[in-house]
């Protein structure tokens, strides 16, 4: 069974600084997607970024980028120029494309951005 | 920008009662999902739905749960006889056929007393 591990329960960063959130996953499949979702205090789940496993190039969305290491099964999220509005829970999620499209989530990392 | 909507935002019910949680997916999406998040825990998959039938369901999705797409816009989750442990945030999500990105609604907080 696929699993997703986020080993950092909490992180903090000062405004304008850069922070990296870690995620590892376990799968025997080769075709899958990885996602990062943000959950602010409102508890809405907001898609931040997606990475297709077949793509070697790391995905980037404005201040958000990933470091995808397929062999190591690692998928970290880098937030540059952190803003107060980035304060939220961040969930890493895995989708195995072989015979399912459900999302498997990690336990989340609570990020606090300080002024 | 199109978005997934859910009603109600908060539902309080007594143990043993039936509840129906409602979702309106993004209009051109064809794949629909329900997830739940018990307070302080991770988000868990419940069920996926496509072409008017369940595609996949988790162990959590037992006989007390059912889903329906009663018309062209709504997607509902029914819990027949609620238990205390059903208290959670329930998220609806949808996606179109061209991408695997699932877009989530704002959630319904279900409190069972």
């Amino acid at each position: 069974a696929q699993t997703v591990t986020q080993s950092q329960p909490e992180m903090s960063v000062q405004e304008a600084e850069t922070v990296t959130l870690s995620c590892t996953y376990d799968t025997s499949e080769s075709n899958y997607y990885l996602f990062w979702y943000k959950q602010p205090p409102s508890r809405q789940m907001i898609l931040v970024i997606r990475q297709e496993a077949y793509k070697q190039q790391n995905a980037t969305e404005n201040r958000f980028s990933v470091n995808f290491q397929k062999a190591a099964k690692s998928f970290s999220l880098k937030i540059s120029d952190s803003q107060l509005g980035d304060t939220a829970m961040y969930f890493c999620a895995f989708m195995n494309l072989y015979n399912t499209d459900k999302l498997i989530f990690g336990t989340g990392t609570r990020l606090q951005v300080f002024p | 920008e199109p978005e997934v909507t859910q009603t109600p935002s908060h539902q309080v019910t007594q143990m043993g009662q039936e509840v129906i949680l409602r979702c309106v997916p993004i209009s051109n999406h064809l794949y629909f999902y329900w997830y739940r998040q018990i307070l302080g825990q991770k988000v868990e998959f419940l069920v996926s739905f496509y072409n008017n039938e369940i595609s996949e369901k988790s162990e959590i999705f037992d006989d007390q749960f059912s889903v329906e797409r009663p018309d062209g816009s709504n997607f509902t989750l029914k819990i027949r006889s609620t238990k205390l442990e059903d208290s959670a945030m329930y998220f609806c999500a949808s996606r179109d056929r061209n991408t695997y990105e699932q877009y989530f609604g704002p959630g319904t907080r279900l409190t069972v007393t």
Side-chain angles (χ1 to χ4, degrees), chain A residues 34-113:
Chain A
L34 294 160
F35 303 87
W36 279 97
Y37 280 86
K38 170 185 177 181
Q39 188 180 43
S42 66
R43 297 191 74 184
Q44 168 99 44
M45 294 290 286
I46 302 166
L47 177 63
V48 174
I49 200 165
R50 128 184 141 236
Q51 174 78 44
E52 295 92 325
Y54 66 85
K55 287 188 177 178
Q56 292 187 336
Q57 187 173 9
N58 289 322
T60 299
E61 287 286 340
N62 301 314
R63 297 183 295 106
F64 299 87
S65 61
V66 299
N67 183 5
F68 174 49
Q69 301 288 329
K70 190 172 184 178
K73 296 179 183 174
S74 169
F75 180 61
S76 60
L77 175 70
K78 185 170 84 170
I79 306 174
S80 304
D81 187 24
S82 297
Q83 300 175 359
L84 296 177
D86 296 332
T87 293
M89 279 290 283
Y90 286 82
F91 291 96
C92 178
F94 171 93
M95 180 190 288
N96 170 14
L97 298 177
Y98 176 59
N99 58 357
T100 178
D101 60 353
K102 70 182 179 191
L103 288 168
I104 299 171
F105 286 88
T107 50
T109 296
R110 184 176 302 279
L111 177 66
Q112 179 74 49
V113 180

Side-chain angles (χ1 to χ4, degrees), chain B residues 56-75:
Chain B
E56 184 178 1
K57 59 184 180 180
S58 72
E59 292 174 353
I60 304 167
F61 195 89
D62 62 22
D63 292 343
Q64 293 300 313
F65 291 87
S66 62
V67 289
E68 192 178 37
R69 188 157 162 80
D71 53 43
S73 60
N74 290 284
F75 179 51

Side-chain angles (χ1 to χ4, degrees), chain B residues 70-105:
Chain B
D71 53 43
S73 60
N74 290 284
F75 179 51
T76 63
L77 174 70
K78 182 195 291 187
I79 310 175
R80 287 190 188 78
S81 178
T82 50
K83 308 184 196 66
L84 294 176
E85 54 264 36
D86 293 328
S87 294
M89 195 78 162
Y90 288 80
F91 292 102
C92 173
S94 69
R95 71 170 178 93
D96 68 21
R97 68 167 77 240
N98 297 319
T99 82
Y100 287 97
E101 295 176 354
Q102 293 182 20
Y103 292 90
F104 282 70

Side-chain angles (χ1 to χ4, degrees), chain B:
Chain B
E1 185 171 324
E3 57 183 21
V4 178
T5 60
Q6 291 185 241
T7 54
S9 57
H10 190 192
Q11 173 96 45
V12 181
T13 189
Q14 289 189 326
M15 198 167 51
Q17 295 297 303
E18 174 184 287
V19 294
I20 297 176
L21 310 184
R22 292 183 166 79
C23 169
V24 179
I26 295 173
S27 63
N28 63 337
H29 285 190
L30 301 175
Y31 299 82
F32 314 115
Y33 310 84
W34 283 101
Y35 293 83
R36 81 170 185 190
Q37 184 184 32
I38 295 172
L39 187 64
Q41 299 186 22
K42 65 180 176 181
V43 179
E44 299 174 291
F45 168 77
L46 290 177
V47 65
S48 57
F49 191 88
Y50 170 70
N51 200 24
N52 283 320
E53 59 183 31
I54 291 174
S55 310
E56 184 178 1
K57 59 184 180 180
S58 72
E59 292 174 353
I60 304 167
F61 195 89
D62 62 22
D63 292 343
Q64 293 300 313
F65 291 87
S66 62
V67 289
E68 192 178 37
R69 188 157 162 80
D71 53 43
S73 60
N74 290 284
F75 179 51
T76 63
L77 174 70
K78 182 195 291 187
I79 310 175
R80 287 190 188 78
S81 178
T82 50
K83 308 184 196 66
L84 294 176
E85 54 264 36
D86 293 328
S87 294
M89 195 78 162
Y90 288 80
F91 292 102
C92 173
S94 69
R95 71 170 178 93
D96 68 21
R97 68 167 77 240
N98 297 319
T99 82
Y100 287 97
E101 295 176 354
Q102 293 182 20
Y103 292 90
F104 282 70
T108 292
R109 179 179 297 181
L110 177 65
T111 302
V112 182
T113 61

